[in-house]
Amino acid sequence: MAKPFALSTSNPLKKSDFENLEESTPRVPFEFTLTIKVSDLDTFIADPQLQARAIGTITDFNIEKGLFNLFVRPEASSDRDTAKEMHYTLFLKDPHGKSWTFFGFKEVIKEDSFEMWSQTTTLYYYIWEGHSDYNPGETKNVTGVGILRISVSDFIKQLTTFKSNAPSALEEQEAVAKFLNVFAKNLWQSYAPFIFTTTAARWNEHIYPMNTTQGVAMGEKNLYPLDTPDGLTISVQRFKVKESKNIVLLLHGLTTSTDMFIMPEHQNFVNYLHSNGFTDVWSLDWRGSGRFTYNLGPHRYNLDDIAKNDIPTAVEFIRRQCGEDTKIHVVCHCVGSISFMASLAGGHVKGISSIVSNSVSLTPKVRWQAFIKMLFGPELLEYVFGYAYVSPRMAYFPGPGFGKWLYWMERGIRHECKEPACHLVSFMWGWGYPAAYVHRNIHPTTHRRLVDLFGGTSFHYYRHIRKMLFAKASVSFDKSKNYLEECQKRDMPPTLFISGAENNIFPGSNKMTYDALKKGKNSAAVEYFEVPGYGHQDTFMGQYAHIEVFPKILAFLNKQKG
């Protein structure tokens, strides 16, 4: 047993924590014998939760109700490579009539077949007061933890206990075989190398529906398609709790989308703004959004197109909807930030009340490894290999085809996790282990959703950024305009430049921009904030960003409300 402690689903104990507690605290004998009852095998197999009843005995407790989930989405394990879990939830009464909950889980780690025996025979468990399920988002006051292990002899005995109430011996054998087939199939999907497991069920699996808005807790949600002057359709999404003359406009990065600001698995940026006085939030899905399928074909759009067409179109539409006297505060990220600053420098947008720019803006800079990729990658992939685009989803396509070799190449370099989308995001952007964020900041559910949160793109945007790297400043595609120099000439609105201290995509870029602008006429208008322990994307998508990043942005926005 352990000293009481608070357990939340955002910080479950690690296996090493269980083992350390087991070694450092007095052990109490604890064992149970359970019978798992499946009332209807076909219904059980069709149920995504694979839920059955659990009955039996447990040391010093009466089991009032028990549930068993055979293979479910990971929620209890802290290992981000967990593919499946088995859950045991037992509602107990002790000899004094007090209620307790026993929650235990086994974890199945993807592709880790050498550990199959220990994973399927080791149960990590918590005990807390009262009867309640282990639900994401809830905190439990845990009073006991432990590890239960099945011995070889008990496992052999267990194999002889499969029974069915089928009317004939043949039907009983068929029922047992059907159950074992489900068991083996789930193990295969988890343990087999990824190249063999890209079944339709896997490559089209979504923890949350694509482009869901269920992460926004309050207010109205409206989506507006907009046609740009060059004939492309983009969109803005409005999240309004109540009318306000101080609105926030969000711009995502290349291949991400509005989804990065409204993630359901933890406190997101839109909810945070709503809860702290900014009740009218808009998000622009510009032409590089992962929501648009036209990015999955070769095109010749560049960042000037975003600056001249997408951003002015959105700002004009918002002013028509909210009034010309509305104060627009822009929070922009990555390529969305480069493009917005280019739009401002080029005079395409005016009257902006304040800007928060994350990661990169007017002086793009990358690590030398990423520069080598930028130097040769677009032409190599487009003209030599004949790829129309690159996407984190490539590794999930069925069969051994399109782009899967890129994942295995990256997997040979990076060993920090086994999530294919994580490796391909690193391939597409920057250089690091991983490149786009610090792993510890990313919620396990977010890590499994990367394939939905990052989309695909053609290669022409890379070519424009490459020109900026050579120029050591943000420039137009034809290099006739230097946007950094243009901003130095103009009166800028109050601007906060931020960056993670461990930014592996555009390291030091926003600090360079801040230093350049601090020397000129905009000295009083610019601020800089570096976030310790953060990278590029996790400043908005991190599970603790609402504690460690958002308050700084909020304080800046509040100063500009007027």
Side-chain angles (χ1 to χ4, degrees), residues 81-199:
D81 288 321
T82 300
K84 302 277 186 179
E85 290 178 354
M86 291 178 256
H87 290 176
Y88 298 76
T89 304
L90 307 177
F91 295 151
L92 312 174
K93 276 282 179 70
D94 66 18
H96 305 289
K98 193 172 184 179
S99 297
W100 300 88
T101 296
F102 171 101
F103 173 76
F105 68 94
K106 298 176 182 177
E107 58 181 5
V108 177
I109 308 297
K110 65 174 67 172
E111 302 180 30
D112 203 0
S113 56
F114 292 109
E115 298 296 323
M116 183 187 300
W117 169 258
S118 64
Q119 290 170 14
T120 55
T121 59
T122 302
L123 182 74
Y124 304 94
Y125 69 85
Y126 303 99
I127 294 177
W128 57 77
E129 290 188 34
H131 290 169
S132 60
D133 294 325
Y134 182 87
N135 289 324
E138 291 186 2
T139 298
K140 308 294 185 184
N141 292 315
V142 173
T143 57
V145 300
I147 306 174
L148 290 172
R149 298 178 178 88
I150 300 175
S151 66
V152 175
S153 59
D154 285 340
F155 183 76
I156 293 172
K157 181 180 178 181
Q158 185 182 49
L159 293 176
T160 66
T161 62
F162 288 98
K163 293 182 180 180
S164 167
N165 60 356
S168 68
L170 179 61
E171 289 174 299
E172 181 176 354
Q173 291 176 5
E174 289 177 348
V176 172
K178 188 182 291 187
F179 176 86
L180 292 176
N181 180 60
V182 172
F183 192 91
K185 181 179 178 182
N186 276 274
L187 289 181
W188 172 255
Q189 290 176 348
S190 302
Y191 288 133
F194 192 81
I195 194 170
F196 297 119
T197 57
T198 49
T199 62

Side-chain angles (χ1 to χ4, degrees), residues 12-30:
L13 293 184
K14 300 176 182 177
K15 285 182 285 188
S16 59
D17 295 328
F18 280 98
E19 292 161 358
N20 291 336
L21 284 168
E22 186 181 46
E23 293 176 2
S24 62
T25 56
R27 299 190 187 186
V28 177
F30 196 68

Side-chain angles (χ1 to χ4, degrees), residues 179-232:
F179 176 86
L180 292 176
N181 180 60
V182 172
F183 192 91
K185 181 179 178 182
N186 276 274
L187 289 181
W188 172 255
Q189 290 176 348
S190 302
Y191 288 133
F194 192 81
I195 194 170
F196 297 119
T197 57
T198 49
T199 62
R202 181 156 184 176
W203 60 263
N204 200 33
E205 183 181 44
H206 308 283
I207 294 177
Y208 291 104
M210 294 284 285
N211 310 139
T212 181
T213 60
Q214 64 181 283
V216 180
M218 301 179 288
E220 304 173 16
K221 309 167 190 178
N222 294 291
L223 180 67
Y224 303 95
L226 303 177
D227 292 329
T228 65
D230 63 341
L232 202 63

Side-chain angles (χ1 to χ4, degrees), residues 406-446:
L406 291 172
Y407 161 60
W408 285 108
M409 178 187 71
E410 284 292 304
R411 182 72 179 271
I413 299 170
R414 307 173 200 277
H415 308 286
E416 65 273 15
C417 73
K418 298 173 183 175
E419 185 61 48
C422 188
H423 290 278
L424 283 175
V425 167
S426 292
F427 171 77
M428 292 170 64
W429 295 106
W431 186 268
Y433 301 89
Y437 36 76
V438 177
H439 254 151
R440 65 179 173 269
N441 296 332
I442 297 298
H443 192 283
T445 298
T446 303

Side-chain angles (χ1 to χ4, degrees), residues 477-521:
F477 191 78
D478 63 8
K479 295 187 282 191
S480 63
K481 285 187 178 180
N482 184 309
Y483 294 125
L484 173 62
E485 293 177 356
E486 291 297 318
C487 268
Q488 289 172 320
K489 297 174 187 175
R490 294 175 179 271
D491 291 320
M492 289 183 60
T495 302
L496 172 65
F497 295 102
I498 64 174
S499 178
E502 299 180 43
N503 187 340
N504 284 323
I505 292 186
F506 293 106
S509 294
N510 261 358
K511 180 64 164 58
M512 288 174 60
T513 299
Y514 166 77
D515 289 340
L517 295 174
K518 191 70 178 173
K519 296 173 184 175
K521 64 183 298 185

